[in-house]
């Protein structure tokens, strides 16, 4: 049953969900969306908008202003890419207080909010507090479904503040207790960030910030007696936001590593501990979720997908082109592992983090590492991000990150010691040293550096030389470097 005391706009489907809303939003979104870090279609013209859902959340005590918290899912059409669905949380005010001016979308002209300035509600502590209140109460509001873990505990006085961290989504921190991640570009289905964090938390892992509440969109007719679940045809709900334990006083691995590399300092103990934490997470995910062995054909398909990504990247980033021939050899070796049957069957696929780098690891005041952001690489389709993959993919991601920290600070040699320490720590828990699998490591590290070249070319062109120099090194090294734990400190070519 939907909790009607919380829902003021009946959710329906079609463009007239809230009469006139889209007309008011259209000109504002055209200006505001492309300026948001999380807007994926930057540089492309914006075509039509389509309102997928709208729900006004009003606390039982009534609205605080002219509008409760307006929750909107809007599909945006742009040439050359499938429509993207974005989650918007909006407030409206006749005259915005100065603290909210930078969150303004602009004044609505016509439609239901004529004369009011619409703004990005997570920046308004009163609106963020409404969302927390709603998260405390399991149940439905229109097409939104709220879930609370029975163990969740909400002490009074959890003052909200929007996070200022560089991120792909928007997070609100409540006191020093919880952090709510609001996914901005949403794909139908369960987000791995919720799925994997929950699986790890329920398995008792201490390496994760436990989710305590979350909300989802039900892709059906909210006016139906079952609130739309049957009409959604058994489709999974779409994850929209996850409230997790906040880790006060923690620092992310990227900031810690940069500080240390700047003074050519030793970070090996921390790197080894991070290796152990990563292996613990892999072990817990392998116990909680399915694992299967990859046959030769699967390895060949994996190598083919890597080759395709390399070619697509070379087409987009000209500086990658001189290396493509040599880099393809790393993928050919992976395919041969499958064909020869030597590794086919020995390589397992399981759920993994999927975008592991130093910025995704938080080190608490107790010195323990916790991994965050299990969403996978944001540019990949959701189905691909949820597919089991060899855990060496995460190891390769972290090895790339030590290389990034070193080269960002112009201290290349720093990387080798710390990559080795990470691998040793990983081996202590996993029982197998990533350096014993040079073909796998090399293929996955190349694939990651290729991904990074595209990511940097699109988002931070000044950083492009970092993955490019890694690709040059990978291209110049022998195709199957016979590295092992004992014969080299370096983990990969
Ligand atoms: N549980 C947490 N405790 C403390 N800080 C966190 C927590 N989760 C995320 N953060 C902070 O928020 C930042 C962004 O989080 P992340 O999950 O990577 O978001 P996004 O996917 O939007 O990039 C992190 O780099 C970290 O600084
Ligand atoms: O954290 P996100 O999920 O948004 O991940 C994306 O952005 C990362 C950068 O913020 C990017 O990571 C790359 O840069 C890092 C340093 O800033 C470095 O530590 C990583 O090794 C490197 O891959 C990540 O690839 C991208 O998906």
């Amino acid at each position: 049953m939907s909790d009607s005391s919380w829902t003021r706009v009946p959710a329906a489907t079609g463009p007239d969900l809230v009469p006139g809303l889209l007309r008011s939003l259209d000109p504002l979104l055209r200006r505001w969306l492309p300026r948001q870090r999380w807007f994926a279609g930057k540089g492309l013209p914006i075509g039509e908008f389509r309102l997928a859902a709208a729900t006004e959340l009003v606390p039982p005590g009534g609205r605080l202003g002219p509008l409760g918290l307006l929750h909107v899912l809007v599909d945006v059409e742009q040439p050359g890419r499938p429509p993207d669905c974005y989650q918007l949380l909006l407030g409206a005010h006749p005259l915005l207080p100065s603290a909210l001016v930078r969150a303004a979308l602009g004044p609505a002209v016509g439609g239901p909010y004529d004369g009011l300035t619409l703004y990005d509600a997570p920046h308004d502590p009163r609106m963020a507090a409404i969302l927390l209140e709603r998260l405390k109460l399991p149940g439905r509001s229109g097409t939104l479904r709220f879930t609370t873990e029975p163990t969740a505990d909400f002490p009074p006085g959890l003052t909200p503040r929007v996070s200022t961290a560089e991120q792909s989504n928007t997070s609100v921190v409540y006191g020093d207790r919880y952090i709510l991640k609001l996914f901005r570009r949403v794909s139908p289905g369960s987000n791995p960030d919720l799925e994997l964090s929950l699986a790890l938390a329920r398995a008792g892992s201490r390496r994760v910030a436990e989710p305590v509440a979350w909300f989802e969109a039900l892709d059906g007719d909210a006016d139906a007696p079952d609130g739309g679940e049957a009409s959604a045809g058994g489709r999974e709900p779409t994850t929209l936001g996850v409230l997790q334990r906040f880790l006060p006083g923690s620092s992310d691995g990227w900031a810690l590593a940069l500080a240390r590399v700047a003074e050519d300092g030793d970070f090996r103990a921390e790197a080894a501990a991070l290796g152990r934490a990563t292996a613990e997470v892999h072990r817990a995910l392998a116990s909680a979720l399915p694992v299967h062995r990859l046959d030769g054909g699967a390895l060949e398909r994996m190598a083919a997908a890597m080759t395709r990504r390399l070619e697509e990247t070379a087409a987009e980033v000209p500086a990658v082109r001189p290396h493509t021939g040599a880099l393809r050899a790393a993928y050919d070796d992976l395919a041969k592992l499958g064909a020869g049957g030597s590794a086919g069957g020995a390589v397992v696929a399981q759920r993994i983090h999927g975008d592991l780098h130093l910025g995704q690891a938080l080190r608490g005041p107790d010195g323990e590492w916790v991994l965050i952001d299990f969403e996978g690489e944001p540019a990949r389709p959701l189905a691909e991000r949820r597919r089991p993959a060899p855990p060496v993919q995460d190891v390769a991601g972290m090895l790339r990150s030590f290389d990034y920290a070193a080269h960002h600070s112009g201290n290349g040699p720093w990387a080798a010691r710390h990559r080795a320490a990470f691998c040793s720590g990983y081996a202590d828990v996993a029982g197998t040293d990533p350096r014993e699998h040079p073909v796998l490591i090399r293929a996955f590290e190349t694939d990651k550096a290729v991904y990074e070249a595209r990511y940097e070319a699109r988002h931070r062109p000044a950083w492009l030389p970092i993955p490019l120099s890694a690709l040059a090194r990978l291209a110049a090294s022998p195709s199957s470097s016979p590295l092992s734990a004992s014969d080299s400190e370096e983990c990969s070519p």
Side-chain angles (χ1 to χ4, degrees):
M1 290 289 289
S2 83
D3 188 335
S4 55
S5 65
W6 267 90
T7 315
R8 288 294 142 74
V9 173
T13 49
D16 278 333
L17 214 52
V18 181
L21 174 61
L22 195 53
R23 227 174 328 119
S24 302
L25 279 180
D26 188 300
L28 304 183
L29 290 181
R30 277 176 204 281
R31 279 195 305 273
W32 183 76
L33 271 180
R35 297 204 307 264
Q36 305 312 305
R37 186 183 189 263
W38 39 264
F39 183 67
K42 288 201 176 75
L44 296 174
I46 294 180
E48 293 291 305
F49 292 112
R50 201 185 70 82
L51 212 51
T55 308
E56 186 189 359
L57 296 174
V58 180
R63 295 181 174 93
L64 302 170
L67 180 66
L69 175 62
L70 182 61
H71 183 277
V72 173
L73 293 176
V74 65
D75 292 324
V76 182
E77 283 178 3
Q78 293 188 276
R81 52 184 297 124
D84 294 294
C85 181
Y86 292 98
Q87 173 173 214
L88 310 175
L89 296 112
L90 303 172
H93 223 285
L95 189 62
L96 275 192
S98 57
L100 288 176
V101 167
R102 64 194 173 91
L105 272 72
V109 178
Y113 308 116
D114 189 29
L116 299 175
T117 296
L118 295 176
Y119 64 95
D120 191 31
H123 291 266
D124 182 349
R126 298 176 323 155
M127 289 292 175
I130 291 180
L131 206 47
L132 182 66
E133 286 310 305
R134 187 62 193 85
L135 281 160
K136 290 178 185 172
L137 189 73
R140 279 196 295 265
S141 283
T143 48
L144 303 179
R145 183 173 71 185
F146 293 80
T147 304
T148 316
E149 282 283 83
T151 49
D153 158 41
F154 297 99
L158 296 178
T159 306
R161 65 175 194 281
V162 76
S163 167
T164 52
E166 267 284 292
Q167 62 175 125
S168 317
N169 298 288
T170 300
S171 294
V172 179
V173 179
Y174 293 93
D176 62 358
R177 195 64 176 263
Y178 293 125
I179 180 165
L180 171 65
K181 190 194 296 196
L182 298 160
F183 297 105
R184 288 303 200 155
R185 187 158 66 98
V186 296
S187 307
S190 186
N191 189 300
D193 204 7
L194 172 61
E195 192 188 5
L196 299 189
S197 305
L198 203 54
L200 287 165
R202 289 179 176 166
S205 170
R206 62 195 176 122
R207 301 298 180 188
V208 68
E210 303 86 347
V212 294
W214 53 94
F215 70 107
E216 300 154 307
L218 299 174
D219 187 15
D221 176 4
D223 292 336
D226 67 346
E229 275 169 297
S231 59
R235 280 195 297 269
E236 272 187 343
T238 296
T239 314
L240 298 174
V242 183
L243 186 72
Q244 288 175 281
R245 175 166 64 96
F246 183 70
L247 306 163
S250 60
S251 306
D252 74 71
W254 174 250
L256 292 170
L258 276 196
R260 208 63 65 83
V261 74
E263 57 196 29
D264 200 22
D266 195 350
F267 193 60
R268 278 177 299 180
E270 292 88 340
L274 185 52
R276 289 192 291 275
T278 304
E280 281 178 30
V281 165
H282 284 162
R283 200 164 54 187
L285 288 174
S287 312
L289 296 163
V291 177
H292 57 260
R293 293 194 175 280
L294 293 176
D295 60 18
L299 291 178
E300 284 174 23
R301 285 191 296 280
M302 203 171 269
M306 290 175 173
T307 306
R308 204 168 43 246
R309 286 195 284 274
L310 172 62
E311 282 161 2
E312 285 165 7
T313 303
E316 186 178 322
V317 187
V320 170
R321 286 177 208 158
H323 309 302
T324 48
L327 294 175
R328 235 181 249 126
Y331 304 148
D332 292 345
D333 288 344
L334 177 67
K336 277 187 224 142
L337 270 189
S342 56
V347 182
V348 294
Q350 61 159 91
R351 298 301 299 276
I352 60 168
H353 182 283
D355 188 19
L356 196 59
H357 56 80
L358 282 162
Q360 312 283 40
L362 300 182
R363 188 163 180 269
D366 58 357
E368 294 294 340
W369 290 102
V370 165
L371 304 190
I372 58 164
D373 196 6
F374 287 78
E375 260 195 281
E377 284 172 6
R380 291 201 194 189
L382 187 65
E384 201 176 310
R385 290 191 262 138
R386 294 179 70 189
R387 203 174 291 150
V392 70
Q393 184 182 322
D394 281 346
V395 171
M398 202 53 101
L399 296 182
R400 289 286 317 118
S401 213
F402 284 108
D403 186 70
Y404 250 75
H407 286 90
H408 181 267
S409 310
N411 184 353
W414 190 89
R417 305 195 288 278
H418 293 88
R419 286 157 56 98
F422 177 83
C423 289
S424 300
Y426 188 91
D428 286 347
V429 171
T432 158
D433 193 312
R435 289 167 290 189
E436 288 159 10
H437 306 284
V439 172
L440 278 175
I441 282 281
R442 182 182 156 85
F444 277 99
E445 206 182 345
T446 304
D447 190 42
K448 186 71 188 184
V450 166
Y451 164 86
E452 289 165 346
R454 202 180 210 182
Y455 176 89
E456 302 300 3
R458 285 182 183 176
H459 302 285
R460 304 186 294 196
W463 294 53
L464 183 57
I466 300 180
L468 285 182
S469 68
L471 288 174
R473 284 194 301 279
L474 286 156
S477 63
S479 62
S480 55
S481 224
L483 288 168
S484 73
S486 55
D487 65 17
S488 171
E489 242 205 348
E490 174 59 290
C491 287
S492 72

